[in-house]
Each structure stands twice: as structure tokens, then as C-alpha cells.
Amino acid sequence: MDKLVTPDNDRIPNRTDGSRSLALLDEPKALTARELEDRRVIHRNDTVRKHADAFRELRTRLLQLGGDRNFVTLVAPISHGSGGSFVARNLAAAFAFDDSKTSLLVDCDALHPSQHTALRVDAGQGGLMDYLDDNQADIGRIIYRTGVPRLRLIPSGRQREMTGEAFSSFRMRAMVDSMRSRYPDRYLILDSPSVLGSPDARILSELADLVVLVAGYGKVTPENVDKAVASFPPDKVAGVVFNHIP
């Protein structure tokens, strides 16, 4: 029977516990290679070597741009259906490949949430939008194990059409700052709504250090790519990933 991943619900330590962060992020029920492939997640085995190497190369590029400290990366599809969530999920997995690093994947696409479904996480304790709506909510309740060692997920939570105000709120910024600063080895990946047709990606980019754009093969024009790139500060755009190339 396939594994259903359960909430983390561990105590969230303070910054002085930073040296213990990797031990706290051990995965008691790590997924097998077959289960990872079912979830479209890269792993170290040769069966997905080409994809794994591509995401590790992207990770290396971001580490070169990000410098010595941990950072927040926004992964933004240019249009819906470009595969942005696939790229965000596997970029987070690539950071978790490194035994000295941890990653936190945050599903910010409240209209089309997908990460908890793709990773088969039981998100019964709620997610990001529930946390932002409830000032008394505990952040620890919405951080879930994924079955991938050193990779955690904050799912989107209940679906919403209007999210810009929530993403620009003090509570959202404080959450991102807290999640990054708590552990010096933690890298945050924000899975964004599409750039075209919504201001959410631009709003979320204010919380990010770097932006990776995802262009779906056959789904966007060169003009779309140029327009999307121009939506963000030039010093934040790390590059464009072309997805689904035959």
C-alpha cells in the first residue's frame, strides 16, 4: 500500500536550536524510489538521472547567485499549465539532496493548489491560507513531512480566488522571515501562481531573493517570456526554465 504522509507537528525550536535542525528533519518513513517517481520527484537512482542532474544544476546556479546565506526562491510559471509546481517541487528536492541543507516548499497557488496532492500529504491541519486568516494559528501545525528527508511542505490550504492582500500582509512577511531565519541551512521555495493574468507572482516576489520563471513548451510566446521577465526587478531574475520540451 502506498504511504500517506502525515503532518509534522513537531515542536518548532527557536533559533538557538539551529545546530539541531538537520536531526529534527530526519524522515522516519522515507519514500522509496518508486514512490518518488509516482509523485514525480527526483531521486539519486539512475532511473531519473537526467532530470536529477538538471535540477541539481539549477540549484548550483541559485547557490552561486544567492551567496553565502540561505535565501528564498520564487518559482513562477509564466502561464498556468507551464509546470511551475513540478519545477518548484523538484528544486526543493534538489536542495534536500545535500545532507547539509534543508528545504521548505510553500504552495502559494491558492486557486490551483497541487503540492499536497502531488506529494500525497494529508493536509488535514490546514495550510498557508488558513494560517494567514487566523492570527492565533500555530505555524508548526501546517508544516508537513513529505517522505523526502530534509524536505517539508506548507500546503496552500483552502482554495481562494483573491490572495494578493494576504500575500502582502505583515503576517505573510513575518512567516517567511521566521521560516528562513530559524535555521541557517533552510532554503525556502515559494510555488507561485502564474505571472500573466494575476498580480500575485509580482507581490510574492517582494518576499523572495531570487525568481525562477517557468515557460511551458508550446504554451507561451517569446513576447510572453519578455513580458514576464520585465515584471520583476532584473537583479532578482535568476533565469527561465523551459519545461515539457519534447
Side-chain angles (χ1 to χ4, degrees), residues 164-183:
E165 185 174 315
F167 291 151
S168 60
S169 66
F170 172 79
R171 187 165 173 80
M172 178 69 177
R173 180 173 295 278
M175 186 204 76
V176 171
D177 289 344
S178 173
M179 291 296 97
R180 173 168 62 177
S181 63
R182 194 178 302 279
Y183 301 132

Side-chain angles (χ1 to χ4, degrees), residues 220-238:
V220 296
T221 65
E223 291 77 16
N224 292 151
V225 175
D226 290 342
K227 183 178 180 181
V229 170
S231 300
F232 304 98
D235 60 334
K236 287 192 176 185
V237 178

Side-chain angles (χ1 to χ4, degrees), residues 188-233:
L188 269 67
I189 311 297
L190 308 182
D191 179 11
S192 169
S194 59
V195 179
L196 301 181
S198 169
D200 287 353
R202 292 187 292 275
I203 294 171
L204 285 165
S205 71
E206 297 178 5
L207 305 172
D209 302 293
L210 298 170
V211 176
V212 173
L213 295 170
V214 181
Y217 182 82
K219 291 185 175 294
V220 296
T221 65
E223 291 77 16
N224 292 151
V225 175
D226 290 342
K227 183 178 180 181
V229 170
S231 300
F232 304 98

Side-chain angles (χ1 to χ4, degrees), residues 33-194:
R34 175 63 181 273
E35 289 169 333
L36 289 168
E37 289 175 18
D38 287 344
R39 291 159 171 76
R40 301 183 69 204
V41 177
I42 57 173
H43 53 78
R44 290 187 171 94
N45 290 8
D46 288 340
T47 51
V48 294
R49 176 66 61 186
K50 180 179 179 181
H51 289 95
D53 287 347
F55 281 105
R56 291 168 76 177
E57 184 176 343
L58 177 57
R59 177 199 64 188
T60 299
R61 166 67 173 165
L62 293 173
L63 287 169
Q64 291 171 343
L65 293 173
D68 295 333
R69 67 189 184 93
N70 61 346
F71 49 81
V72 180
T73 303
L74 179 72
V75 177
I78 293 175
S79 64
H80 179 62
S82 293
S85 293
F86 169 79
V87 172
R89 183 165 63 254
N90 283 287
L91 179 58
F95 274 101
F97 270 8
D98 189 331
D99 293 342
S100 67
K101 295 178 174 59
T102 69
S103 60
L104 177 63
L105 174 62
V106 185
D107 191 343
C108 299
D109 193 344
L111 186 57
H112 304 286
S114 64
Q115 296 294 1
H116 69 290
T117 301
L119 290 166
R120 302 181 193 178
V121 168
D122 177 3
Q125 299 292 330
L128 176 63
M129 303 315 300
D130 306 288
Y131 173 78
L132 295 178
D133 286 342
D134 182 359
N135 290 332
Q136 304 302 315
D138 177 11
I139 186 65
R141 293 180 65 84
I142 63 165
I143 300 177
Y144 296 80
R145 293 187 177 97
T146 63
V148 180
R150 295 177 300 281
L151 169 59
R152 294 292 189 262
L153 169 69
I154 294 180
S156 178
R158 63 185 181 85
Q159 288 182 267
R160 285 178 55 171
E161 291 195 16
M162 304 298 292
T163 54
E165 185 174 315
F167 291 151
S168 60
S169 66
F170 172 79
R171 187 165 173 80
M172 178 69 177
R173 180 173 295 278
M175 186 204 76
V176 171
D177 289 344
S178 173
M179 291 296 97
R180 173 168 62 177
S181 63
R182 194 178 302 279
Y183 301 132
D185 51 52
R186 170 181 277 168
Y187 292 80
L188 269 67
I189 311 297
L190 308 182
D191 179 11
S192 169
S194 59

